[in-house]
Amino acid sequence: TIHFIVQTTHHQIFQQQHELYVVGSIAELGNWKPANGTKMQQVLENRFEASIIIPKNTQNIVQYKYCVLAESGYSGQQE
């Protein structure tokens, strides 16, 4: 299991219609397709969390990035 945590230093960094996703190089993270990534849950005003389970047979290095998705799809913002 991999746990992802993002904590911002600013309150309300995202607009209400935006959501934070983690995407990456494996199927569980959407194979680099933001809309297929794992949505992070907002647990505090400035903290987001997500967890994924990776199969034991995964032998690749897991690469990832964070993306902001708007209601209409990928907004182009990433970290």
Side-chain angles (χ1 to χ4, degrees):
T1 301
I2 298 178
H3 302 283
F4 297 93
I5 298 172
V6 174
Q7 187 159 336
T8 65
T9 56
H10 303 286
H11 299 294
Q12 298 179 336
I13 193 165
F14 300 113
Q15 296 176 6
Q16 192 170 12
Q17 66 272 21
H18 288 136
E19 297 173 326
L20 184 62
Y21 280 74
V22 58
V23 297
S25 60
I26 59 174
E28 292 78 12
L29 292 174
N31 290 319
W32 295 117
K33 296 176 184 171
N36 296 335
T38 299
K39 180 181 173 183
M40 299 190 76
Q41 300 299 314
Q42 187 170 4
V43 295
L44 296 173
E45 187 173 24
N46 64 336
R47 184 180 171 116
F48 299 80
E49 297 181 1
S51 296
I52 62 165
I53 297 173
I54 297 178
K56 289 183 181 182
N57 62 351
T58 301
Q59 297 178 8
N60 297 331
I61 294 173
V62 177
Q63 298 176 333
Y64 67 93
K65 64 183 176 183
Y66 299 104
C67 294
V68 176
L69 295 182
E71 286 181 358
S72 61
Y74 181 54
S75 71
Q77 297 179 23
Q78 56 188 6
E79 292 296 324

PDB file of all heavy atoms in Angstrom, residues 4-8 13-14 18-20 40-50:
ATOM      1  N   PHE A   4      -0.473   8.629  -0.081  1.00  0.00           N
ATOM      2  CA  PHE A   4      -0.106   9.936  -0.606  1.00  0.00           C
ATOM      3  C   PHE A   4      -0.749  10.994   0.276  1.00  0.00           C
ATOM      4  O   PHE A   4      -1.930  10.907   0.592  1.00  0.00           O
ATOM      5  CB  PHE A   4      -0.618  10.114  -2.042  1.00  0.00           C
ATOM      6  CG  PHE A   4      -0.021   9.147  -3.023  1.00  0.00           C
ATOM      7  CD1 PHE A   4      -0.668   7.948  -3.302  1.00  0.00           C
ATOM      8  CD2 PHE A   4       1.167   9.433  -3.665  1.00  0.00           C
ATOM      9  CE1 PHE A   4      -0.126   7.064  -4.206  1.00  0.00           C
ATOM     10  CE2 PHE A   4       1.710   8.546  -4.573  1.00  0.00           C
ATOM     11  CZ  PHE A   4       1.067   7.353  -4.840  1.00  0.00           C
ATOM     12  N   ILE A   5       0.026  11.989   0.669  1.00  0.00           N
ATOM     13  CA  ILE A   5      -0.483  13.082   1.495  1.00  0.00           C
ATOM     14  C   ILE A   5       0.013  14.395   0.900  1.00  0.00           C
ATOM     15  O   ILE A   5       1.205  14.547   0.633  1.00  0.00           O
ATOM     16  CB  ILE A   5      -0.020  12.967   2.957  1.00  0.00           C
ATOM     17  CG1 ILE A   5      -0.547  11.674   3.575  1.00  0.00           C
ATOM     18  CG2 ILE A   5      -0.463  14.181   3.767  1.00  0.00           C
ATOM     19  CD1 ILE A   5       0.019  11.379   4.948  1.00  0.00           C
ATOM     20  N   VAL A   6      -0.910  15.318   0.692  1.00  0.00           N
ATOM     21  CA  VAL A   6      -0.566  16.661   0.234  1.00  0.00           C
ATOM     22  C   VAL A   6      -1.118  17.627   1.265  1.00  0.00           C
ATOM     23  O   VAL A   6      -2.299  17.596   1.587  1.00  0.00           O
ATOM     24  CB  VAL A   6      -1.178  16.966  -1.154  1.00  0.00           C
ATOM     25  CG1 VAL A   6      -0.941  18.412  -1.537  1.00  0.00           C
ATOM     26  CG2 VAL A   6      -0.613  16.028  -2.200  1.00  0.00           C
ATOM     27  N   GLN A   7      -0.238  18.483   1.769  1.00  0.00           N
ATOM     28  CA  GLN A   7      -0.680  19.509   2.707  1.00  0.00           C
ATOM     29  C   GLN A   7      -0.246  20.853   2.156  1.00  0.00           C
ATOM     30  O   GLN A   7       0.937  21.066   1.881  1.00  0.00           O
ATOM     31  CB  GLN A   7      -0.097  19.287   4.105  1.00  0.00           C
ATOM     32  CG  GLN A   7      -0.675  20.239   5.114  1.00  0.00           C
ATOM     33  CD  GLN A   7      -0.528  19.739   6.531  1.00  0.00           C
ATOM     34  OE1 GLN A   7      -0.405  18.558   6.776  1.00  0.00           O
ATOM     35  NE2 GLN A   7      -0.544  20.661   7.459  1.00  0.00           N
ATOM     36  N   THR A   8      -1.191  21.748   1.971  1.00  0.00           N
ATOM     37  CA  THR A   8      -0.898  23.064   1.409  1.00  0.00           C
ATOM     38  C   THR A   8      -0.656  24.067   2.525  1.00  0.00           C
ATOM     39  O   THR A   8      -1.051  23.852   3.670  1.00  0.00           O
ATOM     40  CB  THR A   8      -2.065  23.548   0.531  1.00  0.00           C
ATOM     41  OG1 THR A   8      -3.213  23.748   1.356  1.00  0.00           O
ATOM     42  CG2 THR A   8      -2.369  22.550  -0.561  1.00  0.00           C
ATOM     43  N   ILE A  13      -6.821  26.589  -1.480  1.00  0.00           N
ATOM     44  CA  ILE A  13      -5.916  26.707  -2.621  1.00  0.00           C
ATOM     45  C   ILE A  13      -6.605  26.302  -3.926  1.00  0.00           C
ATOM     46  O   ILE A  13      -6.270  26.773  -4.991  1.00  0.00           O
ATOM     47  CB  ILE A  13      -4.628  25.907  -2.386  1.00  0.00           C
ATOM     48  CG1 ILE A  13      -3.573  26.300  -3.424  1.00  0.00           C
ATOM     49  CG2 ILE A  13      -4.886  24.414  -2.385  1.00  0.00           C
ATOM     50  CD1 ILE A  13      -2.189  25.851  -3.093  1.00  0.00           C
ATOM     51  N   PHE A  14      -7.608  25.421  -3.820  1.00  0.00           N
ATOM     52  CA  PHE A  14      -8.334  24.976  -4.995  1.00  0.00           C
ATOM     53  C   PHE A  14      -9.715  25.601  -5.001  1.00  0.00           C
ATOM     54  O   PHE A  14     -10.331  25.774  -3.958  1.00  0.00           O
ATOM     55  CB  PHE A  14      -8.491  23.444  -5.002  1.00  0.00           C
ATOM     56  CG  PHE A  14      -7.176  22.731  -5.006  1.00  0.00           C
ATOM     57  CD1 PHE A  14      -6.785  21.987  -3.907  1.00  0.00           C
ATOM     58  CD2 PHE A  14      -6.331  22.797  -6.098  1.00  0.00           C
ATOM     59  CE1 PHE A  14      -5.580  21.333  -3.898  1.00  0.00           C
ATOM     60  CE2 PHE A  14      -5.122  22.146  -6.097  1.00  0.00           C
ATOM     61  CZ  PHE A  14      -4.733  21.411  -4.997  1.00  0.00           C
ATOM     62  N   HIS A  18     -12.690  22.223  -8.366  1.00  0.00           N
ATOM     63  CA  HIS A  18     -11.453  21.509  -8.664  1.00  0.00           C
ATOM     64  C   HIS A  18     -11.237  20.360  -7.679  1.00  0.00           C
ATOM     65  O   HIS A  18     -11.626  20.447  -6.520  1.00  0.00           O
ATOM     66  CB  HIS A  18     -10.248  22.449  -8.603  1.00  0.00           C
ATOM     67  CG  HIS A  18     -10.197  23.404  -9.739  1.00  0.00           C
ATOM     68  ND1 HIS A  18      -9.898  24.730  -9.574  1.00  0.00           N
ATOM     69  CD2 HIS A  18     -10.408  23.243 -11.062  1.00  0.00           C
ATOM     70  CE1 HIS A  18      -9.921  25.337 -10.742  1.00  0.00           C
ATOM     71  NE2 HIS A  18     -10.237  24.458 -11.654  1.00  0.00           N
ATOM     72  N   GLU A  19     -10.595  19.305  -8.178  1.00  0.00           N
ATOM     73  CA  GLU A  19     -10.273  18.143  -7.338  1.00  0.00           C
ATOM     74  C   GLU A  19      -8.818  17.769  -7.579  1.00  0.00           C
ATOM     75  O   GLU A  19      -8.288  17.946  -8.676  1.00  0.00           O
ATOM     76  CB  GLU A  19     -11.185  16.975  -7.695  1.00  0.00           C
ATOM     77  CG  GLU A  19     -12.640  17.279  -7.418  1.00  0.00           C
ATOM     78  CD  GLU A  19     -13.571  16.187  -7.920  1.00  0.00           C
ATOM     79  OE1 GLU A  19     -13.276  15.561  -8.955  1.00  0.00           O
ATOM     80  OE2 GLU A  19     -14.596  15.961  -7.257  1.00  0.00           O
ATOM     81  N   LEU A  20      -8.171  17.222  -6.561  1.00  0.00           N
ATOM     82  CA  LEU A  20      -6.777  16.823  -6.644  1.00  0.00           C
ATOM     83  C   LEU A  20      -6.687  15.326  -6.889  1.00  0.00           C
ATOM     84  O   LEU A  20      -7.338  14.541  -6.209  1.00  0.00           O
ATOM     85  CB  LEU A  20      -6.054  17.197  -5.345  1.00  0.00           C
ATOM     86  CG  LEU A  20      -4.558  16.946  -5.296  1.00  0.00           C
ATOM     87  CD1 LEU A  20      -3.822  17.769  -6.356  1.00  0.00           C
ATOM     88  CD2 LEU A  20      -4.023  17.280  -3.908  1.00  0.00           C
ATOM     89  N   MET A  40      -7.850  12.256  -4.638  1.00  0.00           N
ATOM     90  CA  MET A  40      -7.441  12.448  -3.255  1.00  0.00           C
ATOM     91  C   MET A  40      -8.618  13.024  -2.465  1.00  0.00           C
ATOM     92  O   MET A  40      -9.369  13.857  -2.971  1.00  0.00           O
ATOM     93  CB  MET A  40      -6.227  13.365  -3.193  1.00  0.00           C
ATOM     94  CG  MET A  40      -5.029  12.768  -3.942  1.00  0.00           C
ATOM     95  SD  MET A  40      -3.509  13.657  -3.650  1.00  0.00           S
ATOM     96  CE  MET A  40      -3.114  13.077  -1.988  1.00  0.00           C
ATOM     97  N   GLN A  41      -8.763  12.561  -1.254  1.00  0.00           N
ATOM     98  CA  GLN A  41      -9.855  13.016  -0.385  1.00  0.00           C
ATOM     99  C   GLN A  41      -9.375  14.177   0.481  1.00  0.00           C
ATOM    100  O   GLN A  41      -8.292  14.116   1.065  1.00  0.00           O
ATOM    101  CB  GLN A  41     -10.335  11.868   0.516  1.00  0.00           C
ATOM    102  CG  GLN A  41     -10.860  10.676  -0.251  1.00  0.00           C
ATOM    103  CD  GLN A  41     -12.059  11.034  -1.111  1.00  0.00           C
ATOM    104  OE1 GLN A  41     -12.981  11.696  -0.664  1.00  0.00           O
ATOM    105  NE2 GLN A  41     -12.038  10.581  -2.349  1.00  0.00           N
ATOM    106  N   GLN A  42     -10.176  15.212   0.569  1.00  0.00           N
ATOM    107  CA  GLN A  42      -9.846  16.344   1.429  1.00  0.00           C
ATOM    108  C   GLN A  42     -10.233  15.972   2.854  1.00  0.00           C
ATOM    109  O   GLN A  42     -11.407  15.788   3.163  1.00  0.00           O
ATOM    110  CB  GLN A  42     -10.573  17.603   0.977  1.00  0.00           C
ATOM    111  CG  GLN A  42     -10.129  18.824   1.723  1.00  0.00           C
ATOM    112  CD  GLN A  42     -10.674  20.099   1.102  1.00  0.00           C
ATOM    113  OE1 GLN A  42     -11.446  20.078   0.151  1.00  0.00           O
ATOM    114  NE2 GLN A  42     -10.249  21.225   1.650  1.00  0.00           N
ATOM    115  N   VAL A  43      -9.226  15.866   3.738  1.00  0.00           N
ATOM    116  CA  VAL A  43      -9.486  15.459   5.118  1.00  0.00           C
ATOM    117  C   VAL A  43      -9.447  16.638   6.089  1.00  0.00           C
ATOM    118  O   VAL A  43     -10.009  16.563   7.173  1.00  0.00           O
ATOM    119  CB  VAL A  43      -8.495  14.350   5.576  1.00  0.00           C
ATOM    120  CG1 VAL A  43      -8.727  13.081   4.771  1.00  0.00           C
ATOM    121  CG2 VAL A  43      -7.061  14.799   5.468  1.00  0.00           C
ATOM    122  N   LEU A  44      -8.776  17.693   5.700  1.00  0.00           N
ATOM    123  CA  LEU A  44      -8.771  18.956   6.427  1.00  0.00           C
ATOM    124  C   LEU A  44      -8.843  20.060   5.386  1.00  0.00           C
ATOM    125  O   LEU A  44      -8.728  19.807   4.187  1.00  0.00           O
ATOM    126  CB  LEU A  44      -7.495  19.112   7.268  1.00  0.00           C
ATOM    127  CG  LEU A  44      -7.282  18.118   8.405  1.00  0.00           C
ATOM    128  CD1 LEU A  44      -5.900  18.302   9.018  1.00  0.00           C
ATOM    129  CD2 LEU A  44      -8.352  18.297   9.476  1.00  0.00           C
ATOM    130  N   GLU A  45      -8.981  21.287   5.840  1.00  0.00           N
ATOM    131  CA  GLU A  45      -9.108  22.394   4.886  1.00  0.00           C
ATOM    132  C   GLU A  45      -7.914  22.462   3.927  1.00  0.00           C
ATOM    133  O   GLU A  45      -8.069  22.795   2.764  1.00  0.00           O
ATOM    134  CB  GLU A  45      -9.238  23.719   5.644  1.00  0.00           C
ATOM    135  CG  GLU A  45      -9.528  24.879   4.740  1.00  0.00           C
ATOM    136  CD  GLU A  45      -9.816  26.157   5.496  1.00  0.00           C
ATOM    137  OE1 GLU A  45      -9.383  26.294   6.654  1.00  0.00           O
ATOM    138  OE2 GLU A  45     -10.480  27.026   4.913  1.00  0.00           O
ATOM    139  N   ASN A  46      -6.732  22.103   4.401  1.00  0.00           N
ATOM    140  CA  ASN A  46      -5.537  22.197   3.571  1.00  0.00           C
ATOM    141  C   ASN A  46      -4.773  20.869   3.462  1.00  0.00           C
ATOM    142  O   ASN A  46      -3.581  20.855   3.198  1.00  0.00           O
ATOM    143  CB  ASN A  46      -4.608  23.284   4.108  1.00  0.00           C
ATOM    144  CG  ASN A  46      -4.086  22.953   5.497  1.00  0.00           C
ATOM    145  OD1 ASN A  46      -4.693  22.195   6.237  1.00  0.00           O
ATOM    146  ND2 ASN A  46      -2.963  23.525   5.846  1.00  0.00           N
ATOM    147  N   ARG A  47      -5.461  19.745   3.646  1.00  0.00           N
ATOM    148  CA  ARG A  47      -4.789  18.441   3.594  1.00  0.00           C
ATOM    149  C   ARG A  47      -5.623  17.447   2.781  1.00  0.00           C
ATOM    150  O   ARG A  47      -6.824  17.307   2.998  1.00  0.00           O
ATOM    151  CB  ARG A  47      -4.571  17.895   5.001  1.00  0.00           C
ATOM    152  CG  ARG A  47      -3.797  16.594   5.033  1.00  0.00           C
ATOM    153  CD  ARG A  47      -3.622  16.140   6.470  1.00  0.00           C
ATOM    154  NE  ARG A  47      -3.085  14.818   6.554  1.00  0.00           N
ATOM    155  CZ  ARG A  47      -1.913  14.511   7.084  1.00  0.00           C
ATOM    156  NH1 ARG A  47      -1.158  15.463   7.600  1.00  0.00           N
ATOM    157  NH2 ARG A  47      -1.508  13.274   7.125  1.00  0.00           N
ATOM    158  N   PHE A  48      -4.939  16.762   1.868  1.00  0.00           N
ATOM    159  CA  PHE A  48      -5.562  15.772   0.995  1.00  0.00           C
ATOM    160  C   PHE A  48      -4.810  14.451   1.142  1.00  0.00           C
ATOM    161  O   PHE A  48      -3.587  14.445   1.280  1.00  0.00           O
ATOM    162  CB  PHE A  48      -5.496  16.225  -0.465  1.00  0.00           C
ATOM    163  CG  PHE A  48      -6.213  17.519  -0.724  1.00  0.00           C
ATOM    164  CD1 PHE A  48      -5.620  18.739  -0.429  1.00  0.00           C
ATOM    165  CD2 PHE A  48      -7.486  17.519  -1.249  1.00  0.00           C
ATOM    166  CE1 PHE A  48      -6.279  19.934  -0.665  1.00  0.00           C
ATOM    167  CE2 PHE A  48      -8.161  18.705  -1.489  1.00  0.00           C
ATOM    168  CZ  PHE A  48      -7.557  19.912  -1.195  1.00  0.00           C
ATOM    169  N   GLU A  49      -5.537  13.330   1.085  1.00  0.00           N
ATOM    170  CA  GLU A  49      -4.928  12.023   1.245  1.00  0.00           C
ATOM    171  C   GLU A  49      -5.526  11.025   0.261  1.00  0.00           C
ATOM    172  O   GLU A  49      -6.681  11.144  -0.134  1.00  0.00           O
ATOM    173  CB  GLU A  49      -5.121  11.492   2.663  1.00  0.00           C
ATOM    174  CG  GLU A  49      -4.465  12.330   3.729  1.00  0.00           C
ATOM    175  CD  GLU A  49      -4.651  11.773   5.128  1.00  0.00           C
ATOM    176  OE1 GLU A  49      -5.277  10.710   5.294  1.00  0.00           O
ATOM    177  OE2 GLU A  49      -4.171  12.424   6.073  1.00  0.00           O
ATOM    178  N   ALA A  50      -4.720  10.026  -0.114  1.00  0.00           N
ATOM    179  CA  ALA A  50      -5.173   8.911  -0.945  1.00  0.00           C
ATOM    180  C   ALA A  50      -4.269   7.722  -0.670  1.00  0.00           C
ATOM    181  O   ALA A  50      -3.104   7.878  -0.293  1.00  0.00           O
ATOM    182  CB  ALA A  50      -5.127   9.262  -2.422  1.00  0.00           C
TER     183      ALA A  50
END
